[in-house]
């Protein structure tokens, strides 16, 4: 807006009401002089908006910075307006109008504003009255209202003054957000592991291949895409094409991060939200994550620190995995020629399989071979086993003993010879191994061992095999025949509550003799008593 | 003054108040008696257990896992408040021996006892509901005995046997009437205290609110709608009944409370929550008729929105049914319950309901309501408005 267009109004020359006058609002007060204000459920006077007045733009930015660090700005954005306003004497001040969602929100806004030298008012249209403070916890109401000059925009009512303002220009928050310079954070380059979980790299085109190879060699998972920032940035230089590689890397090691930060042509960004990232080592004065609704979902925003610019990329980012972009060596003129191998039959080496003390660490015990003489012990133990153990054990009765096999999540019954598993279903005594030490699958093939079968090498005697189907759950095997009786079903539904019926006890003729008024004075909150109802004949009793 | 016995109070007043039965009302409880009663709580476990069990049974109808009910000063104070309010309709409280100032002292005491802190705690609200859930069902049987030379009325008291003897000779006639909430707790005198009491138990007010009860302030109760389990319980309880007018009675009262809310300065989130809840109730009504054939008009809407009954419409009824249409003009995200569009039959019934409602309440009602809602609901993105 051109300054010449500003209203040279009569009110600017006319004496503005210099003295204000506020009244303290009382609890329960419902009528106010200030238009458009009403008490909220807590009794605090609240208009539709809160108005924060700052002497300079720095105050506005400081307030936004403070508030966004404490609470999301998103909830205020629906009605937030930043205005440069002019007083009749020509001085300029900044006014921030926010929706008064609740008095809690306005309390927080007022506290932050006070901290950075601002003042808080509340109102709905043109008249804004001072917001509550310690001296008047329910707020203030204007004692006297004067009509505004026609070209004034709004008026604030302070404790001992009133001030009229005319709007000079609006300053949209999104524009302010993109104009603010990022500030260098001391020690901001040293990211914690959780901050390095996902990072973005903007790499110059010439360095792309080297970075991809370096990341791939160091087993850093990442994705990459070629991006050209939109031309909409105000910081863009016209005529210069800017395409670079954008990497999204996960779990970047600290040493690689340090290397990248020190390499010209590689810039590292830390994501603040789904589509906003800020250069590592810098921070935006305002918490960008708290005003997410200002950023279009179809754009990805890169806030540069040193260059002081904002790049936007079309979102969502479509990136490709870096492992598919590593350089390939292709020599078509000299194809590799392989040799042909023949398989010759070997002479059989007949070595018997034996048990020998194992040299390897102990394996997990998966079963037990219990001699038949210890069957009584097993029966007694069954009474003490928890349900999970009973369910987890399977047992087979053989002439070589009781074979008990446990499922992986329970411990084996500590009876008999503990058995460990060499391969699936091939059981040997714990601490023993089979020699010669051939591969388990070769051994299984030679033994005729297969799926659904257990081959057991007992400590003494020859090995034996048993089918998986011969093993039954111990809980089923343990139960003898049970006699089932019948029981009566009882109705356990909740009783439906009846209606309470008043029965008046005898209280004597002087029921309230000696009855005292409560200590605290609650009379103020009570309405006047209605006239007593008399004339209802024949009330008798007690 | 002898110390009041908590065991007696529990057995004869609090337990019947919760579980139903004869609620014995005696001399009013003074605030100074409360510490003495509170000190007896640890020594009254046998009598407290049935009270807590009964409250748990009540709450178990609403939530899957009722919180632990532990009777403490909070419940004691609220129960004493109800007791004192009921004393004000005791026949002895309306005799020459009890002055207006004495009645006021009782009322002030009840107000003081009701002044427990407002709570948004789920367990606290459920516990208070367990205690006060019957407050709208409190009644009193009044007996009038007339004989050949006179008559006598006994309010909540058993007439003496001597008045009943020689029935034929003395031409004894006995009439019983039942006084309900209106006569006991709905009088002008005690209504402010009952209102304060129910602000402490917003769940009770939502679940058991009758036409005669105090006005609902959504600002006090809206937090219950953010608890899905409680909101579901309130929704299903609100739509109980077989008659059309009975089904829409509670939703209409909720909508009337929303109308009042819009005249104050509520938080936008609260307005959104209440509006979404009422739209959900509309959705439930459509769901109840989803399988009733495609072409038919809704008998429920025809019954309650018929032009010939326009004068008898309950307050808030038009607002309740017009709300989805109004919201579609203000914030379409709130205008239809989530998931309705995924079910073709339900979506069809929903659209038929909306068309029938528009015919029944008129576009002017919808426009007016949209205008009032627009003052409180702002769109998600910034909107330019002149200061």
């Amino acid at each position: 807006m051109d300054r010449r267009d500003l209203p040279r109004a009569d009110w600017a020359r006319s004496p503005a009401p210099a003295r204000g006058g506020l009244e303290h609002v009382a609890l329960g007060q419902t009528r106010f002089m200030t238009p458009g204000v009403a008490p909220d459920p807590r009794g605090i006077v609240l208009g539709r908006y809160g108005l924060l007045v700052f002497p300079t733009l720095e105050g506005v930015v400081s307030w936004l910075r403070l508030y966004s660090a404490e609470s999301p700005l998103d909830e205020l954005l629906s009605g937030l307006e930043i205005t440069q306003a002019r007083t009749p004497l020509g001085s300029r001040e900044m006014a921030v109008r926010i929706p008064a969602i609740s008095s809690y929100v306005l309390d927080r806004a007022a506290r932050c504003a006070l901290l950075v030298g601002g003042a808080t008012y509340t109102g709905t249209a043109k008249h804004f009255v001072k917001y509550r403070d310690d001296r008047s916890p329910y707020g203030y109401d204007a004692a006297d209202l004067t009509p505004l000059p026609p070209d004034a925009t709004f008026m604030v009512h302070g404790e001992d003054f009133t001030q009229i303002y005319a709007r000079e220009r609006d300053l949209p928050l999104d524009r302010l957000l993109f104009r603010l310079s990022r500030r260098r954070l001391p020690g901001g380059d040293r990211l914690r592991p959780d901050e390095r979980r996902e990072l973005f790299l903007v790499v110059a085109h010439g360095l792309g291949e080297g970075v991809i190879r370096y990341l791939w060699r160091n087993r850093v998972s990442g994705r990459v895409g070629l991006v050209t920032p939109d031309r909409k940035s105000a910081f863009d230089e016209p005529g210069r094409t800017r395409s670079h590689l954008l990497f999204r890397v996960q779990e970047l090691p600290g040493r690689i991060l340090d290397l990248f930060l020190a390499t010209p042509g590689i810039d590292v960004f830390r994501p603040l939200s789904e589509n906003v990232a800020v250069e590592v080592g810098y921070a935006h004065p305002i918490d960008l994550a708290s005003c997410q609704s200002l950023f279009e979902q179809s754009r990805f925003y890169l806030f540069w620190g040193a260059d002081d610019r904002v790049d936007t990329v079309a979102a969502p980012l479509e990136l490709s995995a870096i492992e598919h972009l590593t350089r390939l060596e292709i020599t078509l003129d000299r194809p590799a020629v392989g040799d042909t191998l023949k398989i010759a039959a070997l002479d059989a080496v007949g070595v018997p399989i034996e048990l020998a003390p194992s040299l390897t660490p102990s394996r997990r015990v998966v079963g037990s071979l219990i001699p038949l003489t210890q069957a009584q012990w097993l029966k007694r133990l069954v009474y003490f086993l928890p349900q999970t153990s009973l369910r987890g054990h399977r047992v087979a009765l053989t002439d070589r003993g009781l074979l008990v096999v446990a499922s992986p999540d329970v411990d084996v019954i500590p009876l008999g010879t503990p058995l460990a598993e060499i391969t699936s279903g091939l059981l040997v005594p714990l601490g023993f191994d089979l020699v010669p030490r051939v591969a388990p699958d070769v051994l299984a093939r030679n033994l005729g061992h297969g799926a659904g079968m257990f081959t057991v090498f007992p400590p003494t005697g020859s090995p034996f095999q048993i089918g998986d189907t011969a093993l039954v759950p111990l809980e089923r095997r343990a139960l003898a025949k049970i006699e089932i009786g019948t029981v009566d079903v009882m109705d356990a539904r909740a009783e439906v509550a009846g209606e309470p019926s008043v029965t008046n006890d005898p209280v004597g003729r002087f029921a309230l003799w000696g009855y005292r008024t409560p200590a605290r004075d609650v009379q103020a909150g009570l309405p006047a008593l209605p006239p007593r109802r008399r004339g209802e004949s024949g009330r008798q009793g007690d | 003054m002898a110390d009041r016995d908590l065991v007696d109070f529990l057995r004869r007043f609090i337990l019947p108040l919760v579980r139903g039965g004869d609620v014995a009302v005696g001399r009013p409880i003074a605030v100074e008696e409360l510490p003495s009663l509170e000190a007896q709580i640890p020594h009254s476990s046998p009598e407290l257990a049935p009270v807590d069990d009964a409250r748990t049974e009540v709450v178990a109808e609403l939530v899957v896992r009722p919180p632990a009910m532990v009777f403490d000063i909070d419940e004691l104070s609220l129960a004493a408040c109800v007791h004192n309010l009921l004393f004000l309709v005791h026949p002895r409280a309306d005799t020459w021996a009890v002055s207006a100032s004495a009645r006021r002292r009782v009322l002030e005491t009840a107000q003081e006892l009701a002044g427990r802190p407002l709570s948004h705690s789920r367990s606290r609200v459920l516990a208070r509901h367990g205690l006060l859930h019957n407050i709208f069902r409190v009644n009193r049987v009044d007996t009038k005995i007339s004989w050949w030379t006179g008559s006598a009325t006994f309010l909540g008291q058993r007439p003496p046997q001597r008045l009943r003897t020689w029935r034929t000779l003395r031409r004894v006639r006995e009439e019983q009437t039942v006084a309900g909430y209106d006569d006991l707790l709905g009088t002008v005198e005690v209504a402010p205290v009952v209102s304060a009491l129910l602000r402490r138990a917003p769940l009770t007010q939502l679940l058991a609110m009758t036409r005669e009860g105090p006005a609902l302030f959504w600002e006090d109760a809206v937090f219950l709608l953010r608890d899905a389990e409680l909101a579901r319980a309130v929704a299903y309880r609100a739509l109980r009944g077989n008659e059309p007018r009975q089904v829409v009675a509670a939703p209409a009262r909720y909508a009337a409370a929303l109308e009042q809310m819009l005249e104050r300065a509520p938080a936008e989130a609260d307005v959104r929550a209440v509006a979404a809840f009422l739209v959900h109730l509309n959705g439930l009504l459509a769901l109840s008729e989803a399988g009733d054939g495609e072409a038919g008009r809704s008998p429920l809407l025809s019954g309650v929105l018929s032009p010939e009954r326009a004068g008898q419409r309950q307050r808030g009824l038009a607002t309740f049914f017009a709300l989805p249409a109004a919201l579609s003009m203000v914030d379409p995200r709130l205008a239809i319950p989530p998931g309705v569009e995924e079910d073709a039959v339900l979506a069809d019934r929903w659209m038929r309901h909306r068309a029938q409602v528009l015919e029944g309440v008129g576009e002017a009602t919808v426009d007016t309501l949209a205008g009032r809602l627009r003052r409180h609901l702002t769109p998600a993105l910034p909107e330019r408005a002149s200061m």
Side-chain angles (χ1 to χ4, degrees), chain A residues 396-415:
Chain A
L397 178 63
T398 70
D399 56 345
R400 307 285 289 274
L402 286 159
L403 178 64
V404 178
V405 179
S407 58
D409 53 343
V410 297
D411 293 329
V412 176
I413 291 172
L415 286 177

Side-chain angles (χ1 to χ4, degrees), chain A residues 113-171:
Chain A
L114 196 62
L115 208 57
V116 296
T120 310
Y121 305 88
T122 183
T124 295
K126 289 178 180 290
H127 290 275
F128 289 83
V129 70
K130 185 181 179 188
Y131 187 59
R132 73 174 187 138
D133 57 13
D134 291 342
R135 281 189 295 174
S136 180
Y138 294 105
Y140 294 92
D141 185 22
D144 187 21
L145 283 180
T146 53
L148 259 71
D151 37 7
T153 310
F154 60 93
M155 172 190 271
V156 299
H157 298 264
E159 203 155 358
D160 50 2
F161 69 93
T162 58
Q163 184 63 277
I164 300 171
Y165 291 94
R167 181 206 306 269
E168 218 171 39
R169 66 187 176 105
D170 281 342
L171 183 59

